[in-house]
Amino acid sequence: MQGLRRCSDDLLHLDLSPPPASPSSTSLSIDVAESAETRIRRLISEHPVIIFSRTSCCMCHVMKKLLATIGVNPTVIELDDEEIDALATYSTSTTASTTTPAVFIGGAFVGGLESLVALHLSGHLVPKLVEVGALWI
């Protein structure tokens, strides 16, 4: 299936593969010529808090719960192996280590669960979320 699909109340699955040639497609509009890396970069720029994960990732669940406890509802995108490779390419270009789940806040790569928890424990997560407009205090 191509496009955006709801998996549960707090999880959406976005298929980043090019859509089949169909003149009457009603799914998420994605430019066929747009590469997975370009789509990932665009999604990062369009959402203040976005988590890229694999299906059934327990660390992603913990990330979502931490952010929900603070009052943030992040966009969560599940990627397949090919798309994770594209994320790795993007992460490498931003000098970030490749991890899944990978969280981006305000377009900047934060890291995986350990980095997010460290940011929270240091007291820098909430101000960063406020700064990017993902949280109002």
Side-chain angles (χ1 to χ4, degrees), residues 18-135:
S22 168
S24 63
S25 176
T26 59
S27 63
L28 181 65
S29 174
I30 296 178
D31 182 1
V32 177
E34 188 177 44
S35 69
E37 182 179 341
T38 303
R39 284 184 207 117
I40 289 170
R41 186 176 299 122
R42 180 176 48 78
L43 288 167
I44 291 168
S45 69
E46 291 174 350
H47 301 277
V49 181
I50 188 165
I51 299 171
F52 292 97
S53 176
R54 294 180 189 266
T55 304
S56 303
C57 174
C58 63
M59 291 183 291
C60 178
H61 177 75
V62 174
M63 274 185 169
K64 290 186 299 183
K65 290 301 179 187
L66 170 61
L67 291 168
T69 300
I70 295 170
V72 175
N73 191 11
T75 301
V76 179
I77 307 292
E78 290 185 0
L79 303 175
D80 64 21
D81 290 336
E82 180 182 314
E83 295 159 341
I84 288 173
D85 291 342
L87 179 63
T89 302
Y90 180 76
S91 297
T92 302
S93 69
T94 59
T95 66
S97 63
T98 305
T99 60
T100 52
V103 65
F104 291 79
I105 299 175
F109 180 72
V110 171
L113 177 59
E114 186 176 324
S115 299
L116 184 66
V117 170
L119 193 62
H120 178 58
L121 293 175
S122 70
H124 294 100
L125 179 59
V126 170
K128 187 174 191 88
L129 294 168
V130 170
E131 179 184 328
V132 302
L135 182 65

